[in-house]
Amino acid sequence: MKLQLTLTTLFISLYFNNVYAVSDDAYACNKAYEQGDLAAASKLAIKALNINKNDRDALMCQGRIYSAQDDLTSALTAFKSADKLSNDAFDKTIVALVTGHAYKNANQYEQALSSYQLSLKQASLAKSKAFERVSHIGIGNVHSETKQYPSALESYLTASKLDANDNERGESFEKIALTYHLMDQHEKAVEYQLKAYFMHQKSGTPDQFANASITLGRYYLAAKNYNSAENTLNKIIKFANEQGGPYYEAQGYYVLAQIKAATGDMLSAKTFIEKARAIAKSTNDQALDDEITKETKNLITESN
C-alpha cells in the first residue's frame, strides 16, 4: 500500500493518455513506462519510431525512459527532437517540464530550474493553470532538494493557489508542511499537514490518507505534542489493520515507539518496536524490517 506516483507524474500521464490521439505504440509505451516496465516501454518506443521517426509522443516516451535509466544525454536528445515537432505553447510546456524532470533526476539543478521556468512561461502562454501549478511545484522541488527552503516554500504556496481539487490541495499542503518541518517550524508543519490529512480523508486513496496520518504523527512528535501524536497514530494503526495495510500499521507502531521514548517510557517503546518487527516478519518484508531498524536504532540502544 505504498504510493507509487505523485500527482505531478499523473498530470503527465493524463496528457499522454487523454489529451489527444496518439499512435498505439506511443500510447502503449507510456503505459508501460508508468507501470515501471522500462524494457517493454523501450521496445514500444523503438517500434513506434521505426514506423514514424517524427512520432513526437514516442520521442517523449523514449526520453523519459532514458532519464529513468540515468542516460541524460540520450534523454535530452529525444526531448529536443520532440520540441522541434511541437506546434504550440501547450506542447512545448510538456517538453520543458519533462526536460526539467530529467535534469533534476541527474542532479543538474540549475538546468532543471531553467527548464521548469520555461515550462511555466509556456504554460502561461497556453493559459493552462494546471501546468502552471505543476511547473511551480517543479521549481519548488529543485529549491527543496538544494535546501533553499524559503524559496521552495514560496513556490509551493504559489502552486497551492492554483489547486483545482481536494487531491491537489492535499499534495500542496503536504509539500508546504514538509518544507516548514525542514525549516524547524514544527507548529506550521502541523497546521498544513493537518489540512492535508483532512483533504486525503475526504478525497484521497487509502494510501494517501495513511501516509498523511503517519506524517502528521511525526510532525506532532517534532512539535512535542505527544498526546495528539499518539491519538493520530492509534487511529491509523486501527485503520491500516482493518484495511489490510501492514506497512502503515508497522510504521504507526515504530513512530509510537519514538513518542514513548521521547516521554521516557522505554518499556512501551520496546514493545511497539517488537510489534512493528512482528509485522515485517509475518509479511516477509525485509525492506520494512530495515526501515524499522533505521528508525529505531537509537531507541533500542537506549531501551536496553
Side-chain angles (χ1 to χ4, degrees):
M1 236 181 26
K2 299 180 184 179
L3 294 171
Q4 298 296 322
L5 294 173
T6 65
L7 290 178
T8 301
T9 304
L10 289 174
F11 256 121
I12 301 295
S13 302
L14 287 172
Y15 166 78
F16 283 116
N17 296 338
N18 298 319
V19 171
Y20 64 92
V22 300
S23 69
D24 290 343
D25 290 323
Y27 176 89
C29 174
N30 282 288
K31 292 295 289 185
Y33 173 86
E34 291 156 23
Q35 294 167 0
D37 191 345
L38 298 184
S42 181
K43 291 178 182 178
L44 288 161
I46 292 170
K47 180 181 177 183
L49 292 168
N50 283 338
I51 294 171
N52 177 10
K53 66 179 182 179
N54 292 325
D55 188 328
R56 178 180 176 278
D57 302 287
L59 286 165
M60 294 277 282
C61 185
Q62 189 176 61
R64 298 167 83 200
I65 296 163
Y66 284 136
S67 177
Q69 295 171 333
D70 297 322
D71 185 351
L72 178 62
T73 299
S74 296
L76 294 178
T77 297
F79 292 147
K80 286 177 182 177
S81 296
D83 190 53
K84 291 177 182 178
L85 297 168
S86 299
N87 298 316
D88 55 40
F90 185 78
D91 285 351
K92 288 183 175 294
T93 297
I94 308 304
V95 176
L97 192 62
V98 294
T99 300
H101 291 344
Y103 276 126
K104 185 175 75 67
N105 290 344
N107 299 324
Q108 295 194 20
Y109 295 113
E110 289 187 14
Q111 295 92 329
L113 195 59
S114 295
S115 294
Y116 288 134
Q117 288 169 338
L118 177 59
S119 71
L120 178 60
K121 177 182 177 180
Q122 294 293 347
S124 179
L125 291 173
K127 297 183 173 17
S128 173
K129 296 296 183 184
F131 280 96
E132 283 185 48
R133 173 184 176 274
V134 174
S135 299
H136 281 299
I137 290 174
I139 292 168
N141 289 345
V142 170
H143 288 315
S144 183
E145 290 193 20
T146 54
K147 302 186 187 306
Q148 299 177 59
Y149 299 128
S151 295
L153 182 62
E154 181 181 357
S155 294
Y156 294 146
L157 287 168
T158 300
S160 72
K161 296 175 183 177
L162 299 170
D163 293 339
N165 54 57
D166 287 343
N167 284 324
E168 292 179 8
R169 281 183 275 275
E171 182 193 30
S172 292
F173 291 149
E174 284 185 325
K175 287 184 175 293
I176 294 166
L178 174 59
T179 307
Y180 275 124
H181 176 69
L182 293 170
M183 295 169 68
D184 293 324
Q185 296 186 35
H186 302 304
E187 294 293 344
K188 293 293 290 185
V190 166
E191 176 188 339
Y192 277 91
Q193 187 61 30
L194 194 57
K195 292 180 179 181
Y197 170 91
F198 286 123
M199 290 298 102
H200 291 314
Q201 183 181 50
K202 178 182 177 183
S203 303
T205 65
D207 275 12
Q208 289 172 322
F209 175 63
N211 186 66
S213 300
I214 296 294
T215 304
L216 179 60
R218 290 181 186 276
Y219 294 168
Y220 273 133
L221 171 59
K224 298 183 179 181
N225 189 337
Y226 302 124
N227 287 337
S228 294
E230 190 167 349
N231 288 338
T232 299
L233 291 164
N234 280 327
K235 287 179 182 178
I236 195 57
I237 287 169
K238 182 176 183 292
F239 174 85
N241 180 269
E242 293 173 349
Q243 297 294 319
Y247 174 76
Y248 290 113
E249 186 179 359
Q251 271 198 323
Y253 279 128
Y254 76 63
V255 179
L256 270 179
Q258 294 170 350
I259 295 167
K260 291 302 183 182
T263 58
D265 185 353
M266 304 311 297
L267 182 60
S268 293
K270 189 172 183 179
T271 298
F272 286 130
I273 292 169
E274 290 171 352
K275 286 186 176 183
R277 288 201 182 282
I279 292 171
K281 183 178 180 179
S282 67
T283 56
N284 196 30
D285 190 336
Q286 185 60 49
L288 174 58
D289 192 69
D290 292 343
E291 181 179 328
I292 295 166
T293 297
K294 179 181 177 181
E295 292 279 350
T296 63
K297 183 177 180 180
N298 294 332
L299 302 185
I300 295 173
T301 301
E302 292 174 18
S303 63
N304 286 335

